[in-house]
Amino acid sequence: MPAKLLMANEAFAYAALEAGVNVVAGYPGTPSSELVETVAKLHAAGVAQGVHVEWSTNEKAALELLAGASMSGARCLFTCKQMGMNVASDALMSLNYVGIRGGLVLFVADDPGPISSQTEQDTRRYANFAKVPVFDPSTPDEGYAMMKEAFEVSEKYGTPVIVRPTTRVNHASTFFDVPAETHARPIPEGGFQRSDKWIIFPRRAYQAHGEINERLAAIAEEQSEGAFNQMEQRGSAPVRGIVAGGVSSAYVRDALAMLEGEAQRAGKPAPEYRFLHVGTPFPFPERKALEFAEGLQDVLVFEELDHVLEDEFLKLAGKHRLPYAVHGKLDGRTLDRGENGIDDALARLRAFLASGDARPEDSPMESANEAPEAIQPPMRPPVLCAGCPHRGAFYAVKRAVGKRPAVFCGDIGCYTLGNAKPLEAIDTCLCMGAGITMAQGFAVAEPDRKCISFVGDSTFFASGITGVANAVYNQHDITVCVLDNATTAMTGSQPHPGTGQTLMGPKTKPISIAEVLRALGVECIVRANPLYAEEATAAAREAIDFPGPSAIIFESPCMQLVRPEAPATVDETACIGCRKCLTTLGCPAMTWHEGVMRIDATLCYGCGLCVDSCPVQAIASPVREAGQVPFVAFRKEAK
């Protein structure tokens, strides 16, 4: 069939399916989400035959499910973003000791920048920590090949294998030849075979540790001659070497081509160098690195995010008493955080190849991603969408608290944006589920302060339930606000246990958040539509005033799931210019013009919340005037 233009994440899904993957599971997280969604679409279309795909409740649940399937001989693929590896790490650390049967690949997407994450965590460090091999693709094409190879390595050596692309690789697009149909590999005859090796007693763990060390040495030797660690040379006897991994290799190759073009146009000889692309940073391909290092005086390392390859070349020099000097993040010769780029690599390589010093004389040591001051576009701060129900929830809680001392503990999701003015309703944000437990810490330390946490419906199932159990068990005086917008909004509107929609097609019975809270022992549970300020404020006040653990469930769909209602309007003759609507809600559909507030009809979703913020009833909303609940069609469809 003709080549097809695909995002890399889509191509990686095809690669796994071509490798015969049987089970795919993960938890949504940008920049990794499209892989699972692609498998689900291909399964629904009848292209991916025999595969099971699911969004699990969290990353730990996904990896443990896959561990069981792998022990039966199934080929399995796990997906998450870099912080999701923290959630799954408990299972991963033990799983490598226990081992696997069917190939088990962990697709973990890192996010240099960070572009849509809390941290710049480097999964290559996790690979080393867990003693698990890792592939680090520089391009979508290389990642496609690595995905297939990872299954082979995993099965050959009985180990989980990580494939670690980064955002610019995940979201790049190119053409791929893909099959019209794929088939999951048949489960080996006999399925799961009972064995002492699957049970991780201390004696077995001690024995397995030795097996891990042996297989890592074998994998390192094998990959030294593999296609993913490539060496190139310009000139007969270069004394300067360049090392790169991941997408940085693509930047370096482009920059080197530009330098050679500059030399040719100037009638000068092209610079001499030796270049090594490291596609398998752990276990480190030592034999290939020794071949690369022979005769070099200086080595410059480009990588994102940590100094992983740089550390390996420093160790190599010490171990083998090699004379080269290593330059990179540790001595300030490359960026110590964020993304690399072609322009930055070009400036550093020009200086390095000319003098051995990679510090460009004509540019400061700062990110190449930062445009010159004169051409920087105006900043657009992130805000909650027009019509977002979270805005009403924050507004109601702030009104209910009033002037009482309070702390508002947030979580990971769109609602983290509640920290910004004018809402200012998020004081902390640590990691998924932590808002509920952090509020308990504040309640212990400052019992006179009202301690309130906000958690999304998807995050509630992923990481919030244990925190609620802890609050009930220890009787912490907190209020949990569950912002139920019927989706996993921040990562692309994926389903979760509260929606009942599965990726395999059939709709199951949604798990009731209220029933879960009740089963955990929460005695005060109130529900409200956050788009009605008075109703929502009264509900919030009831929960906040309750002594002990309490909960408010704010229920209204994400505006990305619904059709807009007719937009609100402003009677400019009645508007007194108090700007209360702007200073309390901050909806992006509101603008201030010539002393009155106006509503941009192209942005307004017609939710009607702004009606409740106006002290003189200058704002009108058709949905309110009709006496209808906003987005009622969604509620009917959801039943």
mmCIF file of all heavy atoms in Angstrom, residues 25 147 151 192 244 267 319 416 516 518 610 614:
data_model
loop_
_atom_site.group_PDB
_atom_site.id
_atom_site.type_symbol
_atom_site.label_atom_id
_atom_site.label_comp_id
_atom_site.label_asym_id
_atom_site.label_seq_id
_atom_site.Cartn_x
_atom_site.Cartn_y
_atom_site.Cartn_z
ATOM 1 N N ALA A 25 -1.371 -1.496 27.233
ATOM 2 C CA ALA A 25 -2.019 -0.822 28.365
ATOM 3 C C ALA A 25 -1.152 0.334 28.830
ATOM 4 O O ALA A 25 0.078 0.295 28.714
ATOM 5 C CB ALA A 25 -2.267 -1.803 29.508
ATOM 6 N N MET A 147 11.441 0.013 18.161
ATOM 7 C CA MET A 147 10.289 -0.625 18.796
ATOM 8 C C MET A 147 10.270 -2.115 18.479
ATOM 9 O O MET A 147 10.075 -2.968 19.361
ATOM 10 C CB MET A 147 8.991 0.041 18.323
ATOM 11 C CG MET A 147 7.735 -0.539 18.944
ATOM 12 S SD MET A 147 7.567 -0.196 20.703
ATOM 13 C CE MET A 147 6.901 1.463 20.637
ATOM 14 N N PHE A 151 11.265 -5.587 21.290
ATOM 15 C CA PHE A 151 10.546 -6.824 21.582
ATOM 16 C C PHE A 151 11.466 -8.033 21.457
ATOM 17 O O PHE A 151 11.404 -8.959 22.270
ATOM 18 C CB PHE A 151 9.350 -6.978 20.638
ATOM 19 C CG PHE A 151 8.141 -6.197 21.067
ATOM 20 C CD1 PHE A 151 7.808 -5.011 20.431
ATOM 21 C CD2 PHE A 151 7.341 -6.639 22.101
ATOM 22 C CE1 PHE A 151 6.704 -4.284 20.814
ATOM 23 C CE2 PHE A 151 6.218 -5.918 22.500
ATOM 24 C CZ PHE A 151 5.900 -4.731 21.852
ATOM 25 N N PHE A 192 0.647 -19.923 30.741
ATOM 26 C CA PHE A 192 1.470 -19.728 31.942
ATOM 27 C C PHE A 192 1.970 -21.071 32.475
ATOM 28 O O PHE A 192 1.212 -22.030 32.625
ATOM 29 C CB PHE A 192 0.646 -19.023 33.020
ATOM 30 C CG PHE A 192 1.371 -18.862 34.322
ATOM 31 C CD1 PHE A 192 2.456 -18.015 34.434
ATOM 32 C CD2 PHE A 192 0.975 -19.573 35.458
ATOM 33 C CE1 PHE A 192 3.130 -17.860 35.638
ATOM 34 C CE2 PHE A 192 1.634 -19.431 36.665
ATOM 35 C CZ PHE A 192 2.722 -18.575 36.749
ATOM 36 N N ALA A 244 26.362 12.132 20.612
ATOM 37 C CA ALA A 244 24.989 12.602 20.816
ATOM 38 C C ALA A 244 24.064 11.411 20.949
ATOM 39 O O ALA A 244 24.346 10.313 20.467
ATOM 40 C CB ALA A 244 24.545 13.490 19.654
ATOM 41 N N GLY A 267 35.572 28.133 0.417
ATOM 42 C CA GLY A 267 36.757 27.558 -0.217
ATOM 43 C C GLY A 267 37.769 27.036 0.789
ATOM 44 O O GLY A 267 38.963 26.966 0.492
ATOM 45 N N LYS A 319 38.660 4.433 33.384
ATOM 46 C CA LYS A 319 38.840 2.977 33.389
ATOM 47 C C LYS A 319 39.980 2.537 32.484
ATOM 48 O O LYS A 319 40.768 1.642 32.825
ATOM 49 C CB LYS A 319 37.534 2.307 32.957
ATOM 50 C CG LYS A 319 37.585 0.794 32.910
ATOM 51 C CD LYS A 319 36.225 0.229 32.500
ATOM 52 C CE LYS A 319 36.251 -1.286 32.375
ATOM 53 N NZ LYS A 319 34.924 -1.825 31.973
ATOM 54 N N THR A 416 -5.051 22.791 37.454
ATOM 55 C CA THR A 416 -3.873 23.445 38.035
ATOM 56 C C THR A 416 -3.859 24.922 37.667
ATOM 57 O O THR A 416 -3.278 25.753 38.373
ATOM 58 C CB THR A 416 -2.576 22.771 37.538
ATOM 59 O OG1 THR A 416 -2.696 21.362 37.700
ATOM 60 C CG2 THR A 416 -1.372 23.253 38.316
ATOM 61 N N VAL A 516 -18.035 5.327 45.706
ATOM 62 C CA VAL A 516 -16.681 5.006 46.181
ATOM 63 C C VAL A 516 -16.378 5.782 47.462
ATOM 64 O O VAL A 516 -15.873 5.227 48.443
ATOM 65 C CB VAL A 516 -15.633 5.312 45.097
ATOM 66 C CG1 VAL A 516 -14.218 5.183 45.661
ATOM 67 C CG2 VAL A 516 -15.804 4.380 43.905
ATOM 68 N N ARG A 518 -18.492 6.981 49.576
ATOM 69 C CA ARG A 518 -19.337 6.463 50.653
ATOM 70 C C ARG A 518 -18.776 5.156 51.190
ATOM 71 O O ARG A 518 -18.738 4.921 52.410
ATOM 72 C CB ARG A 518 -20.758 6.286 50.123
ATOM 73 C CG ARG A 518 -21.818 6.057 51.192
ATOM 74 C CD ARG A 518 -23.229 6.147 50.612
ATOM 75 N NE ARG A 518 -23.527 7.493 50.135
ATOM 76 C CZ ARG A 518 -23.686 7.825 48.845
ATOM 77 N NH1 ARG A 518 -23.565 6.903 47.913
ATOM 78 N NH2 ARG A 518 -23.957 9.064 48.503
ATOM 79 N N CYS A 610 -21.359 33.524 34.177
ATOM 80 C CA CYS A 610 -21.120 34.959 34.332
ATOM 81 C C CYS A 610 -22.364 35.704 34.817
ATOM 82 O O CYS A 610 -22.259 36.770 35.441
ATOM 83 C CB CYS A 610 -20.619 35.559 33.030
ATOM 84 S SG CYS A 610 -21.699 35.239 31.611
ATOM 85 N N CYS A 614 -22.623 39.033 38.153
ATOM 86 C CA CYS A 614 -22.959 40.443 37.920
ATOM 87 C C CYS A 614 -23.920 40.956 38.993
ATOM 88 O O CYS A 614 -25.033 40.415 39.156
ATOM 89 C CB CYS A 614 -23.591 40.612 36.541
ATOM 90 S SG CYS A 614 -23.986 42.327 36.151
#
